Amino acid sequence: MDQTENPSININHKGKDDYLKLSFYPYELKLKHVFTVSSYSRTTTPDVQLEIEYDGIKGFGEASMPQYLGQSVESVTAFLKKTDLSQFHDPFQMEDILSYVDSLSPGDTAAKAAIDIALHDLVGKMLGAPWYKIWGLNRDKAPSTTFTIGIDSPEMVKTKTRECAGQFNILKVKLGSDHDKELIDTIRTVTDLPIAVDVNQGWKDREKALDMICWLKEKGIVMVEQPMPKEQIDDMTWLTEHSPLPTFADEAVQRLKDIKDTEGVYSGINIKLMKCTGMREAWKMINYARARNMKVMVGCMTETSCAVSAAAQLSPAVDFADLDGNLLIANDRFVGMQVIGGKIFLPDSPGIGIRKIED
C-alpha cells in the first residue's frame, strides 16, 4: 500500500476556501519490538492519518486501531467518507461540528478521535496557542510518563528494561500471564524504578488478585490497571476496597457516560482518545472524574506523535500518564511532545504541538 504524503481521498468539492476540507489515508504503524499482552501479540498497528484544512491552515489527526477496539481501516475510512465537514464554515464552532460527527454512528470512536484531534490542532493554530494553555493548564505540572515493557522472555525483558534505564522515571509492565511474578522479579534484577502494571483483565479470581497486588506492593509497584474482567463488577469492587494500591479502569471505561458505573468499583479511570472520541470528551471526563474524587490517568494506543501529543496536552491535569505509544514505533511522521528526564515536556507550539517530519 502506498503510504506517501499525498492523501488519497478528498471528499469535499466546493470551490471556495471558507469551509472545512477533510482528507485521509491509511498508514501502517511498525513496532520496534513484538508487543504482547495477556491475550495476543502483534508487530504492527493499523492506522489512518487525517488532515482538516481551512483557509490554508492544516490540522492533523489520527485514528489508531489496536485489536481490542474492534475497529479497522475499512470501518474508519467508511465512517470518514460519510462525514461531510464542508457544511461547516467556522472551525471555532467545535461543539456543533463534533456533536454532528458523534451523531453519525454509536461507535467509530477512533475515526471520531481523528477528526477531533485535527480540529483541535487547526483551531489551536488559528489561535496561536497550544491546548494546554487554552485549558489554563501549567505544563510544568505534566507528570512523568511510563514506558511499557510487554510480556516476553526473561532475556528480552532485561534487554527492553536496559534500553530505557536512565531515560524514564517509571515503567509500565503488562501482566496477566502465568509468569507475572517471574516477570517482575526479572525486571527487578535490572532496575528499582517504580512500576505501574496493566493486567488487561487477565486475573479472574479476586482472592488471588488481592494476594498478587499485596506482593506487587512489596516490589515497588504503584498502581494496577484493569486487574480483572470488566464484567466482574462485584469482584472488582471488593478488590478495590481491599487493595493497598489504587486500581484503574481501562477496558471498563470508554466514554464520559461510563464513569458513573466505575465509581466505587475502581480508584480511577484511564482516558484514551481513541476510546472516548478525542480531546473534547477527554477534557470533560477529567473534570467529571475529579468532581467525583476519582484519580485520573491519560493513556494512548500505539500511535504516532500526532495522537500522543494531543493526549499530552491533557497531562498536566492527571495523576498518571502512559504516553509512550510513539516511542514504540519505528515510522513516526511527526515530532511533538518529548520525554526529557522521564518527564513529559510540552513544546510551546500552537494546536497539539506537532510538526511533520519531512519525507
Side-chain angles (χ1 to χ4, degrees):
M1 182 178 295
D2 184 10
Q3 296 178 351
T4 57
E5 180 50 37
N6 297 317
S8 58
I9 302 172
N10 191 320
I11 59 177
N12 300 310
H13 304 290
K14 289 187 178 181
K16 297 185 297 179
D17 288 331
D18 61 345
Y19 63 92
L20 300 181
K21 293 179 278 293
L22 175 67
S23 57
F24 52 91
Y25 56 98
Y27 187 77
E28 185 176 72
L29 305 180
K30 303 181 186 302
L31 304 185
K32 295 177 181 177
H33 298 288
V34 177
F35 190 78
T36 300
V37 298
S38 61
S39 55
Y40 62 87
S41 298
R42 56 187 168 87
T43 57
T44 62
T45 298
D47 189 273
V48 171
Q49 297 284 305
L50 180 146
E51 297 176 9
I52 296 177
E53 183 174 355
Y54 179 84
D55 196 24
I57 302 173
K58 288 184 179 181
F60 297 99
E62 168 180 23
S64 173
M65 293 144 285
Q67 180 176 326
Y68 82 89
L69 275 184
Q71 299 170 54
S72 65
V73 169
E74 291 73 24
S75 69
V76 167
T77 54
F79 179 88
L80 295 175
K81 285 178 183 178
K82 69 180 182 182
T83 304
D84 178 19
L85 296 188
S86 66
Q87 63 186 291
F88 297 102
H89 299 267
D90 184 355
F92 288 93
Q93 295 175 352
M94 299 178 73
E95 285 293 322
D96 288 349
I97 297 168
L98 295 176
S99 292
Y100 156 73
V101 171
D102 201 16
S103 73
L104 294 177
S105 76
D108 294 298
T109 58
K112 293 173 182 178
I115 294 172
D116 171 283
I117 292 168
L119 185 61
H120 278 79
D121 193 35
L122 174 65
V123 169
K125 287 173 178 175
M126 294 177 72
L127 290 171
W131 272 92
Y132 75 83
K133 282 190 175 180
I134 296 170
W135 282 323
L137 300 176
N138 180 356
R139 67 175 175 177
D140 292 338
K141 293 184 178 180
S144 295
T145 180
T146 59
F147 183 82
T148 302
I149 307 294
I151 297 171
D152 215 318
S153 67
E155 287 308 311
M156 183 55 70
V157 166
K158 289 180 181 179
T159 298
K160 291 179 180 178
T161 303
R162 289 191 187 101
E163 283 182 4
C164 60
Q167 300 181 53
F168 296 89
N169 302 320
I170 180 171
L171 302 179
K172 183 175 181 180
V173 179
K174 296 288 187 177
L175 299 183
S177 74
D178 295 330
H179 308 288
D180 288 346
K181 289 187 176 181
E182 178 185 356
L183 178 56
I184 295 297
D185 283 336
T186 298
I187 292 172
R188 282 292 176 243
T189 66
V190 179
T191 182
D192 59 358
L193 285 175
I195 296 174
V197 298
D198 183 1
V199 190
N200 289 116
Q201 310 183 83
W203 299 338
K204 307 301 190 290
D205 182 277
R206 71 183 192 181
E207 298 281 355
K208 292 181 179 178
L210 181 59
D211 288 344
M212 187 65 186
I213 291 175
C214 290
W215 181 86
L216 289 170
K217 187 175 189 303
E218 295 177 356
K219 294 291 182 176
I221 279 62
V222 295
M223 60 87 78
V224 183
E225 186 179 341
Q226 201 62 56
M228 302 190 71
K230 62 182 182 180
E231 297 82 9
Q232 293 182 221
I233 297 173
D234 291 342
D235 289 334
M236 196 58 239
T237 302
W238 179 90
L239 183 62
T240 296
E241 289 175 352
H242 293 83
S243 174
L245 297 175
T247 62
F248 281 74
D250 183 8
E251 287 86 347
V253 60
Q254 309 292 315
R255 302 195 57 175
L256 178 64
K257 64 181 175 58
D258 301 322
I259 299 178
K260 66 180 185 301
D261 295 328
T262 67
E263 290 183 52
V265 184
Y266 301 86
S267 310
I269 59 170
N270 186 1
I271 299 170
K272 296 179 180 176
L273 302 189
M274 297 302 137
K275 293 191 303 179
C276 76
T277 73
M279 298 169 70
R280 167 179 173 259
E281 182 135 341
W283 181 238
K284 293 178 181 180
M285 291 175 75
I286 288 175
N287 286 284
Y288 180 86
R290 289 301 192 199
R292 306 304 298 175
N293 294 315
M294 298 183 74
K295 294 183 179 296
V296 180
M297 175 181 184
V298 63
C300 64
M301 311 300 183
T302 308
E303 301 162 353
T304 71
S305 288
C306 175
V308 172
S309 296
Q313 297 294 319
L314 300 153
S315 64
V318 306
D319 301 291
F320 290 95
D322 178 30
L323 297 178
D324 65 344
N326 56 328
L327 304 177
L328 304 177
I329 66 171
N331 57 337
D332 202 347
R333 298 184 62 240
F334 300 92
V335 174
M337 65 83 76
Q338 301 291 311
V339 179
I340 300 176
K343 192 174 181 292
I344 292 169
F345 175 77
L346 295 168
D348 192 18
S349 303
I352 60 174
I354 60 171
R355 64 175 175 81
K356 220 168 28 167
I357 299 173
E358 296 301 325
D359 293 339

